[in-house]
Amino acid sequence: MSRILFIIPAFKHGGTNKSLMNILPFIKNDFEISIMALSHIGPYKDIFANEVNVIEKDLRLGLLFDDFGIVDLKKDSTKQIITKLSNKIYRKLYKILIGVKGRKKIMNQIAQSVENMNFDTVIAMQEGSVTNFASRIKGKKVAWVRSDYNEYYKIIKNDESAIYQKYQSVICVSEYTRNTFLNKYPQFEKKCYGIHNMIDYEKIIEMSNGLIVDNKIFDNSKFTIISIGRLSKVKQFELIPNIAKNLKDKGFRFNWYIIGDGEEKPTILELIKNYGVEDQVFLIGVINNPYPYIKHSDLVVVTSYSEACPNVLNESKILHIPVITTNYGSANEFIESGVNGIITTEEYIVKDIARMIDDKNYYKKIESNINDFVYSNDDIVKQIVNLLK
């Protein structure tokens, strides 16, 4: 049986780990699977450990890649704040002391130790640090690109062709993502594939029947909207308070719940207060099982300016909940606007949400078009298994 190693950035909530969690049930009987994380922070460590082998933490990688968690002055105790800040300062000093050459030396040493474990295939599950680190490991490698490469390149501003040259295959999570990657690196066309994320359809249905943990906050007696994701700039959750203010001023009654956490949380909380929508918009933090919230909502709204393969679109359709999403590059691969959801813009999003609340016939039309939606992984599994063999 082939031995496979998946390498991830961390065990935090996010699309990469959710995607990996969805892949495992379909391939774990065909391969001997291990998972390695650059950072061991996050809840997915225990989740993965129940399914496959998790490589023990390397303290050196932790010092290079751990962020030690966001400091929350309102929720964290004094001890927690001091511990997080101390760790962050120690990490920064450590990286300064060893320098760039020291960091490369450490990663090469750890890559050598991974080689000695004799895996048949190594998979870098996300672009960036993971792909860079895994490229140092000799042998068959697969890289997964999970971002709009146009947006990603604006951040890194580095040519990574030498890194991807070391990979036998590159999987992009949508045709749009593949196109943006090949616009930058056309020389890799023959080994680059557009393959959507696997989704465990039955598992989502099962989990959606679970209990809503924080039922004191969640109230779906009004029209209920859900947005899910990391509270980062790319998700544009900071637009929600203003959208909610406009809907409130038009007389609509609704509750809007944001599931997730991240660096933009203080900004969003401040905007909720400034726009006076504390009774309409609620941040309920990270939820390990968001599917009951989706199931008991009326609408899922995605406000991102960039998405490669947004799982929440298909998850919402699986649970037969209509979606409104902004018009990023890959949106039309998953939504046929006006048929099984709505693709909108910042300019028209208030109008489109208002119509979904107010026009019952229009809402029911879209809802009925997704009532029979079933997500099939068959072709996706075949393509991925062939690349991993």
Side-chain angles (χ1 to χ4, degrees), residues 344-375:
T344 190
T345 62
E346 288 183 36
E347 182 181 0
Y348 290 104
I349 193 167
V350 173
K351 181 181 177 181
D352 285 324
I353 295 174
R355 185 177 182 187
M356 291 293 275
I357 299 173
D358 197 42
D359 190 338
K360 305 302 181 188
N361 290 331
Y362 184 67
Y363 179 91
K364 286 180 180 178
K365 179 190 113 175
I366 290 178
E367 185 182 40
S368 67
N369 287 338
I370 56 174
N371 274 342
D372 297 323
F373 177 78
V374 176
Y375 192 88

mmCIF file of all heavy atoms in Angstrom, residues 344-375:
data_model
loop_
_atom_site.group_PDB
_atom_site.id
_atom_site.type_symbol
_atom_site.label_atom_id
_atom_site.label_comp_id
_atom_site.label_asym_id
_atom_site.label_seq_id
_atom_site.Cartn_x
_atom_site.Cartn_y
_atom_site.Cartn_z
ATOM 1 N N THR A 344 -23.824 38.508 -7.313
ATOM 2 C CA THR A 344 -24.112 39.937 -7.220
ATOM 3 C C THR A 344 -22.833 40.750 -7.112
ATOM 4 O O THR A 344 -21.725 40.228 -7.236
ATOM 5 C CB THR A 344 -25.041 40.204 -6.011
ATOM 6 O OG1 THR A 344 -25.499 41.556 -6.056
ATOM 7 C CG2 THR A 344 -24.323 39.949 -4.693
ATOM 8 N N THR A 345 -22.973 42.031 -6.879
ATOM 9 C CA THR A 345 -21.847 42.939 -6.665
ATOM 10 C C THR A 345 -22.104 43.738 -5.396
ATOM 11 O O THR A 345 -23.211 43.723 -4.845
ATOM 12 C CB THR A 345 -21.707 43.923 -7.846
ATOM 13 O OG1 THR A 345 -22.904 44.723 -7.917
ATOM 14 C CG2 THR A 345 -21.516 43.179 -9.160
ATOM 15 N N GLU A 346 -21.090 44.443 -4.934
ATOM 16 C CA GLU A 346 -21.263 45.295 -3.752
ATOM 17 C C GLU A 346 -22.376 46.316 -3.986
ATOM 18 O O GLU A 346 -23.122 46.664 -3.070
ATOM 19 C CB GLU A 346 -19.961 46.023 -3.424
ATOM 20 C CG GLU A 346 -18.870 45.129 -2.838
ATOM 21 C CD GLU A 346 -17.635 45.910 -2.464
ATOM 22 O OE1 GLU A 346 -17.781 47.074 -2.003
ATOM 23 O OE2 GLU A 346 -16.524 45.390 -2.637
ATOM 24 N N GLU A 347 -22.494 46.787 -5.228
ATOM 25 C CA GLU A 347 -23.485 47.810 -5.562
ATOM 26 C C GLU A 347 -24.917 47.287 -5.427
ATOM 27 O O GLU A 347 -25.825 48.013 -5.011
ATOM 28 C CB GLU A 347 -23.239 48.308 -6.989
ATOM 29 C CG GLU A 347 -24.186 49.420 -7.428
ATOM 30 C CD GLU A 347 -23.928 49.860 -8.858
ATOM 31 O OE1 GLU A 347 -23.016 49.309 -9.520
ATOM 32 O OE2 GLU A 347 -24.655 50.762 -9.335
ATOM 33 N N TYR A 348 -25.120 46.014 -5.773
ATOM 34 C CA TYR A 348 -26.485 45.478 -5.842
ATOM 35 C C TYR A 348 -26.814 44.484 -4.730
ATOM 36 O O TYR A 348 -27.930 43.951 -4.703
ATOM 37 C CB TYR A 348 -26.705 44.813 -7.206
ATOM 38 C CG TYR A 348 -26.769 45.791 -8.340
ATOM 39 C CD1 TYR A 348 -25.687 45.953 -9.204
ATOM 40 C CD2 TYR A 348 -27.906 46.584 -8.557
ATOM 41 C CE1 TYR A 348 -25.736 46.868 -10.246
ATOM 42 C CE2 TYR A 348 -27.965 47.493 -9.594
ATOM 43 C CZ TYR A 348 -26.877 47.634 -10.439
ATOM 44 O OH TYR A 348 -26.930 48.542 -11.470
ATOM 45 N N ILE A 349 -25.875 44.230 -3.830
ATOM 46 C CA ILE A 349 -26.112 43.173 -2.845
ATOM 47 C C ILE A 349 -27.292 43.491 -1.916
ATOM 48 O O ILE A 349 -28.065 42.599 -1.555
ATOM 49 C CB ILE A 349 -24.820 42.869 -2.036
ATOM 50 C CG1 ILE A 349 -25.003 41.564 -1.242
ATOM 51 C CG2 ILE A 349 -24.421 44.030 -1.132
ATOM 52 C CD1 ILE A 349 -23.709 41.027 -0.674
ATOM 53 N N VAL A 350 -27.454 44.751 -1.529
ATOM 54 C CA VAL A 350 -28.592 45.121 -0.673
ATOM 55 C C VAL A 350 -29.898 44.826 -1.398
ATOM 56 O O VAL A 350 -30.826 44.219 -0.832
ATOM 57 C CB VAL A 350 -28.524 46.607 -0.261
ATOM 58 C CG1 VAL A 350 -29.805 47.012 0.472
ATOM 59 C CG2 VAL A 350 -27.313 46.860 0.618
ATOM 60 N N LYS A 351 -29.972 45.226 -2.657
ATOM 61 C CA LYS A 351 -31.181 45.005 -3.465
ATOM 62 C C LYS A 351 -31.478 43.519 -3.612
ATOM 63 O O LYS A 351 -32.634 43.083 -3.519
ATOM 64 C CB LYS A 351 -30.986 45.646 -4.839
ATOM 65 C CG LYS A 351 -32.175 45.507 -5.771
ATOM 66 C CD LYS A 351 -31.878 46.164 -7.117
ATOM 67 C CE LYS A 351 -33.038 45.961 -8.095
ATOM 68 N NZ LYS A 351 -32.737 46.577 -9.416
ATOM 69 N N ASP A 352 -30.432 42.706 -3.830
ATOM 70 C CA ASP A 352 -30.638 41.273 -4.041
ATOM 71 C C ASP A 352 -31.066 40.566 -2.760
ATOM 72 O O ASP A 352 -31.922 39.677 -2.797
ATOM 73 C CB ASP A 352 -29.361 40.640 -4.602
ATOM 74 C CG ASP A 352 -29.140 40.982 -6.066
ATOM 75 O OD1 ASP A 352 -30.137 41.072 -6.800
ATOM 76 O OD2 ASP A 352 -27.981 41.169 -6.467
ATOM 77 N N ILE A 353 -30.467 40.948 -1.621
ATOM 78 C CA ILE A 353 -30.900 40.350 -0.354
ATOM 79 C C ILE A 353 -32.337 40.767 -0.048
ATOM 80 O O ILE A 353 -33.159 39.944 0.388
ATOM 81 C CB ILE A 353 -29.954 40.744 0.794
ATOM 82 C CG1 ILE A 353 -28.552 40.171 0.569
ATOM 83 C CG2 ILE A 353 -30.501 40.247 2.145
ATOM 84 C CD1 ILE A 353 -27.515 40.630 1.589
ATOM 85 N N ALA A 354 -32.647 42.039 -0.282
ATOM 86 C CA ALA A 354 -34.002 42.540 -0.030
ATOM 87 C C ALA A 354 -35.031 41.766 -0.850
ATOM 88 O O ALA A 354 -36.116 41.426 -0.355
ATOM 89 C CB ALA A 354 -34.077 44.031 -0.357
ATOM 90 N N ARG A 355 -34.681 41.470 -2.098
ATOM 91 C CA ARG A 355 -35.616 40.717 -2.943
ATOM 92 C C ARG A 355 -35.831 39.311 -2.393
ATOM 93 O O ARG A 355 -36.960 38.795 -2.419
ATOM 94 C CB ARG A 355 -35.099 40.649 -4.381
ATOM 95 C CG ARG A 355 -36.105 39.987 -5.314
ATOM 96 C CD ARG A 355 -35.629 39.977 -6.753
ATOM 97 N NE ARG A 355 -36.647 39.377 -7.611
ATOM 98 C CZ ARG A 355 -36.476 39.108 -8.907
ATOM 99 N NH1 ARG A 355 -35.327 39.428 -9.491
ATOM 100 N NH2 ARG A 355 -37.441 38.548 -9.615
ATOM 101 N N MET A 356 -34.767 38.682 -1.900
ATOM 102 C CA MET A 356 -34.904 37.328 -1.348
ATOM 103 C C MET A 356 -35.779 37.329 -0.096
ATOM 104 O O MET A 356 -36.489 36.361 0.180
ATOM 105 C CB MET A 356 -33.524 36.751 -1.036
ATOM 106 C CG MET A 356 -32.691 36.439 -2.267
ATOM 107 S SD MET A 356 -33.362 35.083 -3.264
ATOM 108 C CE MET A 356 -32.662 33.675 -2.426
ATOM 109 N N ILE A 357 -35.706 38.402 0.678
ATOM 110 C CA ILE A 357 -36.546 38.502 1.875
ATOM 111 C C ILE A 357 -37.999 38.802 1.495
ATOM 112 O O ILE A 357 -38.928 38.211 2.044
ATOM 113 C CB ILE A 357 -36.023 39.604 2.829
ATOM 114 C CG1 ILE A 357 -34.606 39.279 3.306
ATOM 115 C CG2 ILE A 357 -36.959 39.773 4.031
ATOM 116 C CD1 ILE A 357 -33.956 40.399 4.125
ATOM 117 N N ASP A 358 -38.171 39.685 0.521
ATOM 118 C CA ASP A 358 -39.493 40.264 0.248
ATOM 119 C C ASP A 358 -40.301 39.493 -0.790
ATOM 120 O O ASP A 358 -41.530 39.410 -0.701
ATOM 121 C CB ASP A 358 -39.301 41.707 -0.222
ATOM 122 C CG ASP A 358 -40.586 42.524 -0.128
ATOM 123 O OD1 ASP A 358 -41.295 42.391 0.878
ATOM 124 O OD2 ASP A 358 -40.850 43.283 -1.067
ATOM 125 N N ASP A 359 -39.616 38.937 -1.792
ATOM 126 C CA ASP A 359 -40.308 38.285 -2.906
ATOM 127 C C ASP A 359 -40.347 36.771 -2.662
ATOM 128 O O ASP A 359 -39.426 36.041 -3.027
ATOM 129 C CB ASP A 359 -39.589 38.604 -4.216
ATOM 130 C CG ASP A 359 -40.371 38.161 -5.451
ATOM 131 O OD1 ASP A 359 -41.232 37.265 -5.320
ATOM 132 O OD2 ASP A 359 -40.111 38.710 -6.541
ATOM 133 N N LYS A 360 -41.404 36.295 -2.046
ATOM 134 C CA LYS A 360 -41.511 34.888 -1.654
ATOM 135 C C LYS A 360 -41.472 33.957 -2.859
ATOM 136 O O LYS A 360 -40.878 32.872 -2.799
ATOM 137 C CB LYS A 360 -42.805 34.644 -0.869
ATOM 138 C CG LYS A 360 -42.989 35.538 0.349
ATOM 139 C CD LYS A 360 -41.850 35.392 1.341
ATOM 140 C CE LYS A 360 -42.065 36.289 2.570
ATOM 141 N NZ LYS A 360 -40.884 36.320 3.455
ATOM 142 N N ASN A 361 -42.098 34.360 -3.956
ATOM 143 C CA ASN A 361 -42.122 33.510 -5.151
ATOM 144 C C ASN A 361 -40.721 33.353 -5.750
ATOM 145 O O ASN A 361 -40.325 32.264 -6.180
ATOM 146 C CB ASN A 361 -43.068 34.089 -6.202
ATOM 147 C CG ASN A 361 -44.533 33.973 -5.786
ATOM 148 O OD1 ASN A 361 -44.902 33.052 -5.057
ATOM 149 N ND2 ASN A 361 -45.359 34.899 -6.246
ATOM 150 N N TYR A 362 -39.981 34.461 -5.773
ATOM 151 C CA TYR A 362 -38.609 34.415 -6.295
ATOM 152 C C TYR A 362 -37.734 33.533 -5.408
ATOM 153 O O TYR A 362 -36.957 32.707 -5.906
ATOM 154 C CB TYR A 362 -38.050 35.837 -6.360
ATOM 155 C CG TYR A 362 -36.668 35.937 -6.965
ATOM 156 C CD1 TYR A 362 -36.451 35.655 -8.315
ATOM 157 C CD2 TYR A 362 -35.583 36.341 -6.188
ATOM 158 C CE1 TYR A 362 -35.187 35.762 -8.873
ATOM 159 C CE2 TYR A 362 -34.315 36.455 -6.744
ATOM 160 C CZ TYR A 362 -34.124 36.159 -8.081
ATOM 161 O OH TYR A 362 -32.873 36.256 -8.627
ATOM 162 N N TYR A 363 -37.886 33.686 -4.101
ATOM 163 C CA TYR A 363 -37.118 32.867 -3.155
ATOM 164 C C TYR A 363 -37.436 31.384 -3.361
ATOM 165 O O TYR A 363 -36.536 30.542 -3.435
ATOM 166 C CB TYR A 363 -37.431 33.273 -1.713
ATOM 167 C CG TYR A 363 -36.682 32.460 -0.678
ATOM 168 C CD1 TYR A 363 -35.447 32.878 -0.196
ATOM 169 C CD2 TYR A 363 -37.197 31.255 -0.197
ATOM 170 C CE1 TYR A 363 -34.750 32.130 0.739
ATOM 171 C CE2 TYR A 363 -36.515 30.501 0.733
ATOM 172 C CZ TYR A 363 -35.290 30.941 1.196
ATOM 173 O OH TYR A 363 -34.601 30.184 2.118
ATOM 174 N N LYS A 364 -38.736 31.057 -3.449
ATOM 175 C CA LYS A 364 -39.154 29.657 -3.589
ATOM 176 C C LYS A 364 -38.675 29.054 -4.905
ATOM 177 O O LYS A 364 -38.381 27.859 -4.986
ATOM 178 C CB LYS A 364 -40.663 29.541 -3.466
ATOM 179 C CG LYS A 364 -41.163 29.719 -2.033
ATOM 180 C CD LYS A 364 -42.674 29.605 -1.952
ATOM 181 C CE LYS A 364 -43.148 29.782 -0.505
ATOM 182 N NZ LYS A 364 -44.638 29.718 -0.418
ATOM 183 N N LYS A 365 -38.579 29.883 -5.945
ATOM 184 C CA LYS A 365 -38.085 29.402 -7.236
ATOM 185 C C LYS A 365 -36.641 28.918 -7.110
ATOM 186 O O LYS A 365 -36.300 27.814 -7.558
ATOM 187 C CB LYS A 365 -38.174 30.519 -8.285
ATOM 188 C CG LYS A 365 -37.665 30.124 -9.673
ATOM 189 C CD LYS A 365 -37.546 31.335 -10.577
ATOM 190 C CE LYS A 365 -36.095 31.600 -10.882
ATOM 191 N NZ LYS A 365 -35.905 32.693 -11.856
ATOM 192 N N ILE A 366 -35.807 29.737 -6.480
ATOM 193 C CA ILE A 366 -34.399 29.354 -6.309
ATOM 194 C C ILE A 366 -34.288 28.169 -5.348
ATOM 195 O O ILE A 366 -33.515 27.235 -5.578
ATOM 196 C CB ILE A 366 -33.577 30.561 -5.824
ATOM 197 C CG1 ILE A 366 -33.467 31.587 -6.955
ATOM 198 C CG2 ILE A 366 -32.192 30.127 -5.348
ATOM 199 C CD1 ILE A 366 -32.725 32.838 -6.618
ATOM 200 N N GLU A 367 -35.062 28.204 -4.284
ATOM 201 C CA GLU A 367 -35.034 27.112 -3.312
ATOM 202 C C GLU A 367 -35.422 25.789 -3.965
ATOM 203 O O GLU A 367 -34.782 24.746 -3.737
ATOM 204 C CB GLU A 367 -35.977 27.423 -2.156
ATOM 205 C CG GLU A 367 -35.928 26.408 -1.019
ATOM 206 C CD GLU A 367 -36.926 26.748 0.072
ATOM 207 O OE1 GLU A 367 -38.049 27.175 -0.254
ATOM 208 O OE2 GLU A 367 -36.582 26.578 1.256
ATOM 209 N N SER A 368 -36.455 25.803 -4.801
ATOM 210 C CA SER A 368 -36.914 24.574 -5.455
ATOM 211 C C SER A 368 -35.880 24.034 -6.437
ATOM 212 O O SER A 368 -35.777 22.821 -6.652
ATOM 213 C CB SER A 368 -38.241 24.817 -6.181
ATOM 214 O OG SER A 368 -38.072 25.710 -7.273
ATOM 215 N N ASN A 369 -35.079 24.924 -7.021
ATOM 216 C CA ASN A 369 -34.063 24.498 -7.982
ATOM 217 C C ASN A 369 -32.885 23.786 -7.329
ATOM 218 O O ASN A 369 -32.097 23.133 -8.027
ATOM 219 C CB ASN A 369 -33.551 25.696 -8.777
ATOM 220 C CG ASN A 369 -34.562 26.200 -9.780
ATOM 221 O OD1 ASN A 369 -35.459 25.473 -10.181
ATOM 222 N ND2 ASN A 369 -34.436 27.455 -10.184
ATOM 223 N N ILE A 370 -32.732 23.913 -6.022
ATOM 224 C CA ILE A 370 -31.645 23.202 -5.325
ATOM 225 C C ILE A 370 -32.165 22.086 -4.424
ATOM 226 O O ILE A 370 -31.373 21.422 -3.753
ATOM 227 C CB ILE A 370 -30.761 24.176 -4.498
ATOM 228 C CG1 ILE A 370 -31.601 24.976 -3.504
ATOM 229 C CG2 ILE A 370 -29.962 25.089 -5.405
ATOM 230 C CD1 ILE A 370 -30.762 25.847 -2.578
ATOM 231 N N ASN A 371 -33.462 21.862 -4.430
ATOM 232 C CA ASN A 371 -34.032 20.825 -3.556
ATOM 233 C C ASN A 371 -33.553 19.421 -3.907
ATOM 234 O O ASN A 371 -33.532 18.546 -3.046
ATOM 235 C CB ASN A 371 -35.566 20.870 -3.589
ATOM 236 C CG ASN A 371 -36.123 21.867 -2.589
ATOM 237 O OD1 ASN A 371 -35.428 22.273 -1.653
ATOM 238 N ND2 ASN A 371 -37.364 22.278 -2.777
ATOM 239 N N ASP A 372 -33.174 19.207 -5.161
ATOM 240 C CA ASP A 372 -32.720 17.883 -5.590
ATOM 241 C C ASP A 372 -31.207 17.839 -5.814
ATOM 242 O O ASP A 372 -30.683 16.886 -6.405
ATOM 243 C CB ASP A 372 -33.442 17.478 -6.879
ATOM 244 C CG ASP A 372 -34.940 17.340 -6.677
ATOM 245 O OD1 ASP A 372 -35.341 16.873 -5.591
ATOM 246 O OD2 ASP A 372 -35.706 17.717 -7.589
ATOM 247 N N PHE A 373 -30.506 18.873 -5.336
ATOM 248 C CA PHE A 373 -29.062 18.935 -5.574
ATOM 249 C C PHE A 373 -28.325 17.830 -4.818
ATOM 250 O O PHE A 373 -28.522 17.631 -3.619
ATOM 251 C CB PHE A 373 -28.515 20.299 -5.147
ATOM 252 C CG PHE A 373 -27.018 20.427 -5.304
ATOM 253 C CD1 PHE A 373 -26.460 20.654 -6.552
ATOM 254 C CD2 PHE A 373 -26.171 20.294 -4.211
ATOM 255 C CE1 PHE A 373 -25.084 20.774 -6.706
ATOM 256 C CE2 PHE A 373 -24.800 20.414 -4.352
ATOM 257 C CZ PHE A 373 -24.252 20.655 -5.609
ATOM 258 N N VAL A 374 -27.502 17.087 -5.538
ATOM 259 C CA VAL A 374 -26.642 16.061 -4.939
ATOM 260 C C VAL A 374 -25.236 16.285 -5.463
ATOM 261 O O VAL A 374 -25.028 16.404 -6.670
ATOM 262 C CB VAL A 374 -27.111 14.639 -5.297
ATOM 263 C CG1 VAL A 374 -26.138 13.601 -4.744
ATOM 264 C CG2 VAL A 374 -28.518 14.382 -4.760
ATOM 265 N N TYR A 375 -24.268 16.353 -4.555
ATOM 266 C CA TYR A 375 -22.880 16.596 -4.957
ATOM 267 C C TYR A 375 -22.191 15.255 -5.189
ATOM 268 O O TYR A 375 -22.158 14.400 -4.316
ATOM 269 C CB TYR A 375 -22.148 17.368 -3.864
ATOM 270 C CG TYR A 375 -20.795 17.919 -4.294
ATOM 271 C CD1 TYR A 375 -20.704 19.162 -4.895
ATOM 272 C CD2 TYR A 375 -19.628 17.197 -4.085
ATOM 273 C CE1 TYR A 375 -19.483 19.687 -5.290
ATOM 274 C CE2 TYR A 375 -18.402 17.707 -4.468
ATOM 275 C CZ TYR A 375 -18.331 18.948 -5.072
ATOM 276 O OH TYR A 375 -17.118 19.452 -5.458
#
